[in-house]
Amino acid sequence: MPTAYPGIGVSRGIAIGKARILQHGQVEVLEYTLPTSQLDSEVQRFRHALAQAREQLLQIRARIPGDTPGNIAAFIETHLLMLDDATLAEEPEAIIRAQHCNAEWALKLQADALLRAFATMDDAYLKTRCDDVIHVVRRVQQLLLQGGEGHEPLLEESAEPRIAVAADLSPGDLVLLHQQNISAIVTERGGPLSHTAILARSLRIPAIVGIPHVHDYINNHEWLVVDGNHGTLLSDPDAATTHFYQCKQASEQAAYDRLQTLTDQACRSSDGIPITLQANIELPEDIAELKRVGAEGVGLYRTEFLFLNREQAPSEEEQFTAYRETVESLNGAPLTIRTLDLGADKAFVPVRHISSNPVLGLRAVRLCLNETSLFKPQLRAILRASVYGPVQLLIPMLTNTGEIDQCLHLLNTLKRELRAQHIPFDEQLPVGGMIEIPAAALCVDQFARRLDFLAIGTNDLIQYTLATDRIDEAVNHLYDPLNLAVLRLIRHIIRSANEAEIPVSLCGEMAATPSLTRLLLALGLTRFSLPPTTLLEVKHVINHSNIKLLQQQIHELLQCGNEALLRQTINELNSDLPELSF
Ligand code: PEP
Ligand code: MG
């Protein structure tokens, strides 16, 4: 008799296989007191475990295939950096000596303190860092407890498909499991923004997280079905259930294969309107995936990833090299470089400003204008890279036109400096702004007079319009891309950009959500920027959409005060869409 366990589907796809229970829960750590004479050797034992953990991670990194997207190796890099960070490498030593305690306990105390500090922060990126701390600490604690034995999730050889079931899995664990041909993963802990979830999506491994005590319910070697689309785990499926999911799996694979044939096709609505699909990237290495899906350049390059997990900001030269190589690798397609969107609370060490409400505090362009020693080298690097291909500069989180004027003034000063130094740059470098604050959206006509293009950042625009923290689960129900106020703002921004005759794109998650694609087309959007992984699906929807017909329906929809009716009308926009889910 099949039993269903609901969880959160964080990586799509169906898998059918035998459970392989991996014990990756919290490590049981006991405290014991040491005499002074043993403290030196305890510190040595701790250092040895750190060195072994480092060695394990280096081995995992070396085993990542060369064609894997760049963000994957970056996760391992994050863990390596954490192992070297004084907060994890040195503080526990001080605790061992001060409290005469064992290394496991000292590490636990330090990790608990760090996690308590993270818990008070208001930032999605930092919350994923919490998972990283847990994974790194667990690796070291297991080495301490097991006297140096690794905790690699090794699976026995098997011809049958296997599904890993664990309390928690780190990105490093997933790399190893992937190499051992794991079919899917199911965990108690984790969320859609965790690095393990992001990695599972990149590797196309179906994944469900958030099933409490999952390994108490599942037996080793029991048959399971993982439905990553709906976040449902089924144990002990009967023949009819297995057959149903086998058919679903086959049709999803066929749909996926069909989508790949769209790579070289133009993106054009069924009534002939060309639509531009660009990619969001985070690291230069992401360009390979962009090319694979045929994106028309980069609509959003989140440069903050060059700055995270390090003590020093990258120099102008280092940034110039990264930007130059990226634009050159695009072979003539445009590269939109967004200037730093760091919050004061993000993991870039030299900038320390404690804000009582970081989401509303000194972040993005506010921080850059405040810390010109951070901003100027980036602007110079972007200007210098602009002679190697079509570069555009994009400023995030603009609140008012004064900030635009300040940025343009600084840019002009740097241009004069470069001219005087005979360093070439594109004199016509287009400068755009992100519209992600309601104040900017409402006054967008004024912004458009000063800028060459606009990009709508709906992730933040929704959060600020609805006064709803995008990562606070307690108010998740209010974070709604379909809220009428959000839709009206998006339409207003697009109309204003059209009136000003400047391009406008949308680069938040809404652009990457196929069920919202027709709605955005109806609102007048003709440029999307989205992660390469969902680009072909969105292209499929566009190629099967008649924009003129959609636009006839939008006026009434934007007058709809009833949320349920609004949702139903939006669903109806998609009703004749050919099946494509995979
Ligand atoms: C956005 O806010 O929609 C956006 C694209 O920026 P980020 O997600 O990097 O804040
Ligand atoms: Mg944003």
Side-chain angles (χ1 to χ4, degrees):
M1 175 72 183
T3 311
Y5 302 92
I8 307 165
V10 294
S11 177
R12 298 190 320 181
I14 307 277
I16 303 169
K18 280 190 162 178
R20 176 70 178 85
I21 311 272
L22 304 169
Q23 295 301 343
H24 274 175
Q26 268 198 330
V27 184
E28 186 81 28
V29 173
L30 298 176
E31 177 187 12
Y32 47 94
T33 309
L34 299 172
T36 311
S37 59
Q38 272 185 33
L39 294 182
D40 280 345
S41 64
E42 192 61 9
V43 165
Q44 283 313 323
R45 195 169 75 86
F46 176 64
R47 287 185 187 166
H48 184 61
L50 283 183
Q52 283 179 309
R54 197 170 296 116
E55 185 51 36
Q56 280 184 350
L57 287 173
L58 289 172
Q59 280 177 18
I60 292 171
R61 191 175 63 179
R63 285 152 71 174
I64 297 175
D67 59 353
T68 317
N71 55 3
I72 292 175
F75 298 150
I76 309 294
E77 224 51 67
T78 305
H79 288 199
L80 279 165
L81 281 162
M82 281 187 172
L83 275 179
D84 285 336
D85 195 277
T87 46
L88 281 185
E90 289 166 23
E91 282 299 318
E93 289 192 17
I95 297 174
I96 294 172
R97 292 191 191 281
Q99 302 195 13
H100 286 226
C101 64
N102 49 319
E104 295 87 338
W105 188 253
L107 183 57
K108 176 184 158 31
L109 292 182
Q110 178 61 9
D112 288 350
L114 273 177
L115 293 175
R116 271 198 304 278
F118 278 132
T120 62
M121 292 173 179
D122 214 4
D123 180 283
Y125 184 80
L126 277 177
K127 289 204 169 151
T128 67
R129 292 281 82 81
C130 248
D131 283 345
D132 290 320
V133 172
I134 292 170
H135 292 150
V136 169
V137 167
R138 190 181 63 208
R139 183 176 290 281
V140 179
Q141 279 180 332
Q142 288 190 329
L143 285 160
L144 285 165
L145 290 167
Q146 295 160 7
E149 275 186 34
H151 88 311
E152 289 195 355
L154 287 173
L155 303 180
E156 71 287 354
E157 289 286 320
S158 169
E160 284 170 327
R162 291 154 306 170
I163 292 169
V165 178
D168 189 17
L169 289 170
S170 71
D173 294 334
L174 189 56
V175 170
L176 294 175
L177 289 168
H178 176 56
Q179 287 175 345
Q180 295 164 51
N181 287 325
I182 198 74
S183 300
I185 59 164
V186 180
T187 63
E188 272 181 34
R189 291 198 66 242
L193 286 177
S194 78
H195 278 161
T196 307
I198 296 170
L199 183 54
R201 290 195 284 276
S202 289
L203 297 172
R204 294 191 61 230
I205 297 175
I208 302 178
V209 303
I211 305 186
H213 309 294
V214 62
H215 53 299
D216 290 344
Y217 297 111
I218 304 300
N219 299 314
N220 221 1
H221 305 299
E222 182 175 12
W223 279 99
L224 299 177
V225 173
V226 169
D227 178 350
N229 307 340
H230 299 104
T232 307
L233 172 70
L234 289 169
S235 67
D236 195 19
D238 55 23
T241 310
T242 305
H243 179 68
F244 172 80
Y245 279 102
Q246 277 168 339
C247 294
K248 227 169 140 42
Q249 205 178 20
S251 74
E252 289 196 356
Q253 185 58 46
Y256 178 81
D257 293 343
R258 268 199 312 279
L259 273 185
Q260 306 315 302
T261 65
L262 293 183
T263 297
D264 301 321
Q265 278 184 28
C267 185
R268 191 178 284 276
S269 67
S270 63
D271 52 336
I273 301 175
I275 303 292
T276 305
L277 294 184
Q278 295 185 312
N280 293 352
I281 65 163
E282 280 152 15
L283 292 166
E285 293 92 324
D286 296 335
I287 298 289
E289 187 60 11
L290 169 158
K291 287 187 175 164
R292 197 187 67 73
V293 298
E296 299 172 62
V298 173
L300 172 66
Y301 176 10
R302 290 183 163 104
T303 55
E304 49 276 10
F305 283 80
L306 289 174
F307 286 69
L308 298 175
N309 300 315
R310 51 194 295 166
E311 294 288 329
Q312 297 282 327
S315 64
E316 176 185 323
E317 212 50 40
E318 184 181 337
Q319 292 185 64
F320 164 64
T321 306
Y323 305 152
R324 175 188 169 163
E325 282 176 5
T326 310
V327 74
E328 282 181 338
S329 70
L330 284 169
N331 305 324
L335 172 66
T336 311
I337 306 180
R338 182 173 75 179
T339 58
L340 269 176
D341 191 2
L342 285 176
D345 52 333
K346 280 195 184 168
F348 177 59
V349 183
V351 180
R352 292 193 196 280
H353 171 86
I354 307 301
S355 171
S356 57
N357 195 340
V359 180
L360 302 180
L362 193 65
R363 51 174 297 205
V365 71
R366 304 169 181 189
L367 174 70
C368 287
L369 290 171
N370 201 273
E371 303 254 353
T372 47
S373 60
L374 202 59
F375 202 20
K376 278 189 194 165
Q378 179 169 46
L379 293 179
R380 274 182 60 106
I382 295 172
L383 280 165
R384 287 172 58 197
S386 66
V387 281
Y388 295 93
V391 169
Q392 312 197 108
L393 186 148
L394 178 61
I395 307 164
M397 285 276 302
L398 287 164
T399 308
N400 57 37
T401 53
E403 286 176 335
I404 305 178
D405 295 340
Q406 253 182 294
C407 289
L408 294 178
H409 181 75
L410 188 59
L411 207 57
N412 282 335
T413 308
L414 296 175
K415 283 182 178 179
R416 273 198 300 279
E417 214 175 270
L418 288 172
R419 273 185 220 110
Q421 293 168 345
H422 304 290
I423 298 176
F425 63 90
D426 175 8
E427 292 277 357
Q428 311 304 328
L429 174 79
V431 178
M434 287 198 67
I435 306 299
E436 36 192 355
I437 296 178
L442 290 170
C443 296
V444 68
D445 54 326
Q446 300 301 321
F447 284 55
R449 286 190 194 160
R450 292 164 166 84
L451 295 164
D452 300 307
F453 67 97
L454 302 175
I456 310 174
T458 45
N459 302 343
D460 279 315
L461 184 63
I462 297 168
Q463 144 164 290
Y464 293 126
T465 303
L466 306 179
T468 304
D469 185 343
R470 70 198 227 192
I471 55 158
D472 184 341
E473 283 162 22
V475 288
N476 232 339
H477 60 289
L478 293 173
Y479 185 89
D480 181 11
L482 300 182
N483 182 289
L484 191 55
V486 173
L487 302 185
R488 286 185 180 179
L489 282 180
I490 294 174
R491 185 184 57 169
H492 176 68
I493 300 167
I494 295 171
R495 278 190 174 171
S496 305
N498 291 345
E499 275 163 23
E501 297 182 356
I502 62 171
V504 57
S505 70
L506 190 147
C507 57
E509 278 303 298
M510 280 182 86
T513 311
S515 59
L516 301 181
T517 303
R518 283 188 163 178
L519 173 66
L520 295 176
L521 292 172
L523 291 169
L525 189 72
T526 55
R527 302 174 80 85
F528 293 63
S529 188
L530 64 168
T533 38
T534 42
L535 188 140
L536 293 176
E537 238 181 307
V538 169
K539 190 190 257 191
H540 170 88
V541 177
I542 294 169
N543 289 357
H544 288 90
S545 300
N546 183 315
I547 295 180
K548 288 202 186 74
L549 285 183
L550 287 171
Q551 286 180 342
Q552 284 167 14
Q553 299 168 51
I554 198 71
H555 181 71
E556 208 176 315
L557 196 144
L558 292 181
Q559 302 307 319
C560 181
N562 175 332
E563 284 169 16
L565 190 60
L566 179 74
R567 248 163 231 288
Q568 192 191 323
T569 317
I570 289 169
N571 280 341
E572 280 164 15
L573 288 183
N574 292 328
S575 56
D576 67 324
L577 202 56
E579 181 63 50
L580 61 94
S581 68
F582 63 89

